[in-house]
Amino acid sequence: MNGLNRNLPSLEYWREPPERIPQRFYVAFCLLMSSVQDAFLGLKEKESDNLNWSATCSYYSLMHGGRLLCFLALGDYPTRHQRLQDIFSTSQQQRRNASPHQGRNTSSHHDGYPFDWLRKFASQTGGRQPRATSSQGGGGPIIDFRQMIADYLNHVQVADYKERLTKYGNVLAAAAPLRNDSNYETLLIAHEYRHVAMSDAFSDLSLHMGAAAESTLPLLIDAFNGFRFHDPDLPESRDQYEAFLHVYVHDRIGAAIRRKLGGSSALERKLLEVLTRIGTRDIDAQYHDLDYSVSMTIFGGKVQLMRGFDEKIKALARVTTS
């Protein structure tokens, strides 16, 4: 396994109680479909000549993709964009910056979680927190998360994982500063249209950011499928996972993405190609237990996220209408 570490507290979190195993599967699936959706929204906005937002959607597809790769291998992911860039960088110095034992990150990992998403998510459930491990405390060894992700991709039989992971890291490194420029630099934003230089630049940005997101989707799908078929924590019999996945890919989330494409037949055909690559099978198996495990009835972290989101919307409504 070339150093594959299956004893991380963030992975242990998803093993107990047993309903967390399908919940981990569901979180991974949602990250994958978020990346697919944003890639296609980027293409749709480009067709509408909304170039800046097209590039932004495509960039977020890349971000969701990086979080998926982290989550599959480590059970957690960083929410900060810069940290995700550091993790996937080909520079050893940048990867050292992403280690929890470097500078500002040292004191925040006493619970053993490598990143910040799971820490917040787990705290909302009120469940048992993991014990800290000696490898996670301040002053411990530098952790190369990128290598751990590579080891995992190798373990779940993702083809050409080294080259593809390197390409993803290079794409993310090139895309991130462009997203900052196009979103935050007003002298650029204000000249997206009818400008002698910037209009062509935004057109190129939309084109290449969209191509970057599209070109990354096969890696993400292959990584998810590697997890789906070969991750040792999933049950040996996976028929209910297959039945669940087929319905969610094509009917629930896939159909929801299709509705957002503005009736573009070309994009709908391309979306079908991407969803078909996931390779789901319409098999005769009941998935009620899995559906229940990820429902609002039992999935406490999901419930708290949704309730918190709704409360923030209501707070916005109150200040808007007051």
Side-chain angles (χ1 to χ4, degrees):
M1 295 184 188
N2 191 23
L4 186 69
N5 186 345
R6 296 191 58 232
N7 297 317
L8 291 173
S10 50
L11 290 174
E12 291 177 353
Y13 172 87
W14 295 107
R15 295 180 185 130
E16 186 183 349
E19 62 265 20
R20 285 184 183 164
I21 294 174
Q23 289 169 3
R24 178 186 171 209
F25 179 88
Y26 184 69
V27 172
F29 172 68
C30 288
L31 285 167
L32 172 65
M33 296 306 286
S34 294
S35 185
V36 171
Q37 173 172 268
D38 280 351
F40 277 87
L41 290 180
L43 296 175
K44 186 231 178 216
E45 292 302 322
K46 185 177 184 301
E47 283 194 351
S48 303
D49 207 31
N50 195 1
L51 304 176
N52 191 15
W53 280 111
S54 165
T56 298
C57 290
S58 300
Y59 168 80
Y60 273 95
S61 173
L62 294 172
M63 293 301 298
H64 289 308
R67 289 166 177 160
L68 170 65
L69 295 175
C70 286
F71 184 77
L72 292 177
L74 308 170
D76 193 8
Y77 61 83
T79 59
R80 292 181 61 249
H81 294 201
Q82 182 60 57
R83 191 148 190 237
L84 199 68
Q85 295 166 46
D86 290 342
I87 288 167
F88 289 99
S89 173
T90 56
S91 162
Q92 289 187 352
Q93 179 56 51
Q94 279 189 260
R95 296 209 301 276
R96 282 196 292 270
N97 292 341
S99 172
H101 310 305
Q102 296 299 106
R104 65 181 182 277
N105 297 318
T106 300
S107 62
S108 63
H109 289 77
H110 58 277
D111 56 13
Y113 295 153
F115 308 119
D116 60 326
W117 178 80
L118 183 57
R119 181 172 302 108
K120 180 179 178 181
F121 185 80
S123 71
Q124 294 173 330
T125 67
R128 179 182 62 84
Q129 298 300 303
R131 58 179 176 81
T133 61
S134 59
S135 63
Q136 296 291 326
I142 290 172
I143 298 176
D144 191 338
F145 292 121
R146 184 179 182 275
Q147 184 59 53
M148 295 174 73
I149 294 167
D151 289 341
Y152 180 81
L153 296 180
N154 179 40
H155 179 67
V156 298
Q157 304 178 30
V158 175
D160 303 319
Y161 68 94
K162 289 182 181 178
E163 296 82 358
R164 297 167 82 183
L165 201 58
T166 296
K167 181 177 180 181
Y168 171 76
N170 290 338
V171 165
L172 191 61
L178 285 167
R179 177 259 181 179
N180 291 339
D181 287 345
S182 65
N183 273 198
Y184 302 128
E185 292 291 348
T186 57
L187 289 176
L188 299 178
I189 297 168
H191 296 92
E192 178 178 351
Y193 300 107
R194 300 177 66 182
H195 187 272
V196 64
M198 284 298 96
S199 295
D200 285 345
F202 272 98
S203 180
D204 288 344
L205 173 65
S206 172
L207 173 67
H208 296 301
M209 197 76 87
E214 262 196 283
S215 69
T216 302
L217 291 180
L219 168 62
L220 305 181
I221 292 172
D222 289 355
F224 178 80
N225 281 341
F227 161 72
R228 163 185 164 202
F229 293 122
H230 303 296
D231 190 282
D233 287 333
L234 293 183
E236 184 174 345
S237 175
R238 304 181 185 186
D239 284 354
Q240 69 167 325
Y241 283 79
E242 287 300 301
F244 173 93
L245 196 61
H246 186 78
V247 170
Y248 271 74
V249 166
H250 293 283
D251 295 340
R252 296 197 183 181
I253 299 182
I257 296 173
R258 193 173 299 111
R259 284 197 296 270
K260 297 180 181 182
L261 299 182
S264 170
S265 57
L267 290 182
E268 288 185 6
R269 285 194 300 271
K270 187 175 288 191
L271 175 63
L272 180 59
E273 291 174 4
V274 169
L275 298 182
T276 300
R277 184 184 177 105
I278 299 173
T280 64
R281 294 177 295 136
D282 186 10
I283 63 175
D284 185 18
Q286 298 295 324
Y287 57 90
H288 298 304
D289 290 345
L290 197 158
D291 221 6
Y292 181 68
S293 292
V294 303
S295 70
M296 291 185 69
T297 304
I298 195 170
F299 197 176
K302 173 184 171 183
V303 173
Q304 293 304 317
L305 278 174
M306 292 180 173
R307 286 177 178 169
F309 184 60
D310 187 57
E311 286 302 317
K312 291 171 187 175
I313 294 171
K314 290 177 180 176
L316 174 62
R318 288 193 294 270
V319 298
T320 302
T321 58
S322 60

